[in-house]
Each structure stands twice: as C-alpha cells, then as structure tokens.
Amino acid sequence: MYIEKKEQAVIQNFEKNGYLIFKPEEQKILNNIRSKFISFLPKKIYNKKYKNEAYIFNNIHKYIEKKKLNNFRLDIINKINTTSEIKEKIYKLSKKYLDVLVGNELVIQKRINLSIQLPKDSSSLLPLHADTWSGVSPFEIVIWLPLVNCYETKTMYILPSYKMKKYESKLINKKTKSSEQIFNLIKKDLIWLKVNYGEILVFDQSLPHGNIVNKEKETRWSMNIRFKGLFTPYGDKKIGEFFEPITLKPVSKKGINYKLPGQ
C-alpha cells in the first residue's frame, strides 16, 4: 500500500482503538465556531461581564431550566444549520484525518447534531448503542467536536476496537436484551474519553458507545456530524436525504455523467 509513515501511524492507532483525538492546527477556526454559538444565545443569557466564553457554556444550566432545554437546543440546532458555514469549518479542521481514514471523495451529514447535557439531567441521555445495530452504514465515521472540556461523566464512553472480540458473541446473545444489560456487561472495558476544548474526536460509530448522567458541576456542549466515502454502500441514511456530496472530483463527475456516443 502506498501510504506514508505518518499516515500509517494514524491508521494503526485508529484500527487499534476505533477512535482518535487530535488537535487541529487552525485553532482560530474553532474559536470562530464557538463565538458563532455565542451569537445564537439569548442576549439576556450572554453578557460582556462574563470573563470568557467557556464560562457561559459551562454554566448555561444556571440560566436554562431543564424543562426548556430541548426547545433551547432545537432552536440553536436550527440556527447552526441555516447555512453550511459551520459544516465547512468542521470539514476543514478534520480534513487531514478524513483524507487518511475515509478518503477524499466524501459526503457529509446534511444537519449538524448538538448535545447539551446539564448536570444531573437524565433527559439528555444516549444509552449504550452502536449505530450500525439500527441500520446505519458501517462505512460512516463521526466527528465529535466539544465546545467545552469534556471529561469523566461529562463526556461520552466507547468500547475500544481491541475489546470488541471479547464481547461479540455475548452482544448477539438473546438473553442480553436491553442497552442497560449490555452496559453492565461491558462497562469495565469502556473508555471514558477526555476531550478538551481545542481538540476533536473522530470515532467508529459501529462500536458500542453512549453517555450517562452528567455528575460534574458543568454543562457539556458537543457537536457531532458524520462523513463517509461518496461511493461506499449506504445504509438507511441515503445520499440526498441524510447526506450531501462535498468533494466530488472531476473524473468521478465525468464518469457519473458519461454516455456512449449515440446514447
């Protein structure tokens, strides 16, 4: 295989663990994304008296009631998806690793997802699951971008690739019916990913993952968006409906539109 040594190291790390945490070179782009989120907040929440943006994100639970959280989150999701600006920035930040792990002819999820997990809030849980268990293509990869430092129960967990074989037969056992049972079965081998603001996580969504109640004193903010190779098989989430192409090359475009003379 014609792969450079630096790329080989990235591939080996990802194949072993099923995830990578990297620090993109252009931190200004990350700061720009977070500042954009600040502009989406109600003016009564964000005020110049706060020391920095991290404070307001980490302490948003002091200003948003739990019962209003979902509407608040959906409103921000709608705002960040009104243009492709933030998606383009996420792609630019992740391109180096997407090129190595996925390819350079890609589709991107049409809408960015946003998670806001308040302290001690059980309404924002994502129980243990693997996306492929519900019909998602195994060719997809997830970019997970935090707007705050994520750690301990304020982050997500994942079962690393090197532990999957240990549980594969047990995961399809008919006696194991609920996500809670699966969680209890594998919890000793789960990795709680520490991802600071300024870093990006890329992970294999076919691995079991999820979160639990945030027991920390700060709120978690994280975006996630999926990428896959344009010409790889699609599961339940189709191109045009869930994905849109972003890096179609001229020769591929020509090939798609090619017709024999006279046809």
Side-chain angles (χ1 to χ4, degrees):
M1 297 179 70
Y2 303 154
I3 301 175
E4 296 180 4
K5 287 185 178 180
K6 288 183 179 180
E7 294 180 346
Q8 288 176 355
V10 170
I11 292 169
Q12 289 171 0
N13 191 348
F14 183 79
E15 289 181 336
K16 176 186 175 182
N17 297 304
Y19 66 89
L20 284 172
I21 298 170
F22 64 91
K23 190 169 185 176
E25 296 173 0
E26 300 184 57
Q27 290 289 304
K28 287 184 179 180
I29 296 178
L30 273 174
N31 295 337
N32 182 269
I33 290 174
R34 192 161 75 167
S35 294
K36 192 71 176 178
F37 271 77
I38 284 290
S39 72
F40 295 145
L41 298 178
K43 291 182 179 179
K44 64 179 181 180
I45 292 179
Y46 183 67
N47 190 298
K48 295 296 183 182
K49 69 180 181 181
Y50 297 124
K51 294 181 180 179
N52 53 51
E53 293 176 351
Y55 176 88
I56 190 61
F57 285 113
N58 278 312
N59 292 278
I60 201 71
H61 53 278
K62 297 178 180 179
Y63 309 97
I64 298 293
E65 299 177 48
K66 289 182 181 180
K67 64 181 180 180
K68 296 181 179 179
L69 174 62
N70 193 48
N71 287 337
F72 173 76
R73 185 180 68 88
L74 291 175
D75 179 62
I76 295 180
I77 287 176
N78 288 332
K79 288 175 179 176
I80 64 177
N81 285 293
T82 53
T83 70
S84 62
E85 177 188 356
I86 295 179
K87 287 196 298 184
E88 290 173 4
K89 285 181 168 65
I90 294 174
Y91 168 67
K92 186 173 183 179
L93 290 167
S94 311
K95 183 180 184 301
K96 177 180 176 180
Y97 291 88
L98 291 172
D99 284 353
V100 174
L101 299 174
V102 188
N104 62 5
E105 288 190 284
L106 302 173
V107 292
I108 188 174
Q109 183 176 331
K110 295 179 77 172
R111 287 179 63 82
I112 301 170
N113 289 323
L114 173 66
S115 174
I116 304 175
Q117 194 177 10
L118 307 181
K120 300 179 181 179
D121 179 19
S122 60
S123 68
S124 302
L125 296 185
L126 192 61
L128 184 141
H129 68 290
D131 297 14
T132 48
W133 297 350
S134 57
V136 171
S137 170
F139 290 84
E140 294 178 20
I141 203 168
V142 179
I143 293 293
W144 195 88
L145 194 157
L147 297 178
V148 292
N149 293 343
C150 295
Y151 55 90
E152 301 292 341
T153 59
K154 190 188 171 188
T155 189
M156 61 169 279
Y157 59 76
I158 193 168
L159 182 69
S161 295
Y162 60 84
K163 290 290 185 179
M164 268 299 289
K165 288 185 178 180
K166 178 179 177 181
Y167 294 104
E168 280 179 346
S169 61
K170 296 178 181 179
L171 291 175
I172 61 172
N173 191 319
K174 293 182 179 179
K175 293 181 180 179
T176 309
K177 296 181 179 180
S178 70
S179 60
E180 184 178 359
Q181 287 177 312
I182 298 174
F183 177 82
N184 290 328
L185 176 69
I186 69 177
K187 65 181 179 180
K188 66 180 180 180
D189 286 319
L190 294 174
I191 302 294
W192 300 84
L193 299 170
K194 183 179 179 181
V195 191
N196 289 326
Y197 173 69
E199 297 176 325
I200 295 177
L201 164 70
V202 53
F203 72 92
D204 176 358
Q205 44 76 44
S206 70
L207 295 172
H209 60 281
N211 63 26
I212 62 172
V213 173
N214 177 9
K215 298 178 183 178
E216 314 310 319
K217 296 180 180 181
E218 300 172 334
T219 295
R220 180 188 118 193
W221 290 68
S222 61
M223 291 182 285
N224 66 82
I225 192 163
R226 301 165 186 275
F227 293 85
K228 68 185 295 294
L230 174 62
F231 298 108
T232 56
Y234 290 79
D236 292 340
K237 297 173 179 178
K238 308 297 184 184
I239 189 169
E241 299 173 0
F242 188 85
F243 289 104
E244 58 185 351
I246 55 171
T247 53
L248 182 63
K249 302 300 182 182
V251 174
S252 295
K253 185 176 180 180
K254 186 189 76 168
I256 291 171
N257 295 310
Y258 179 77
K259 292 181 181 180
L260 287 169
Q263 289 186 340

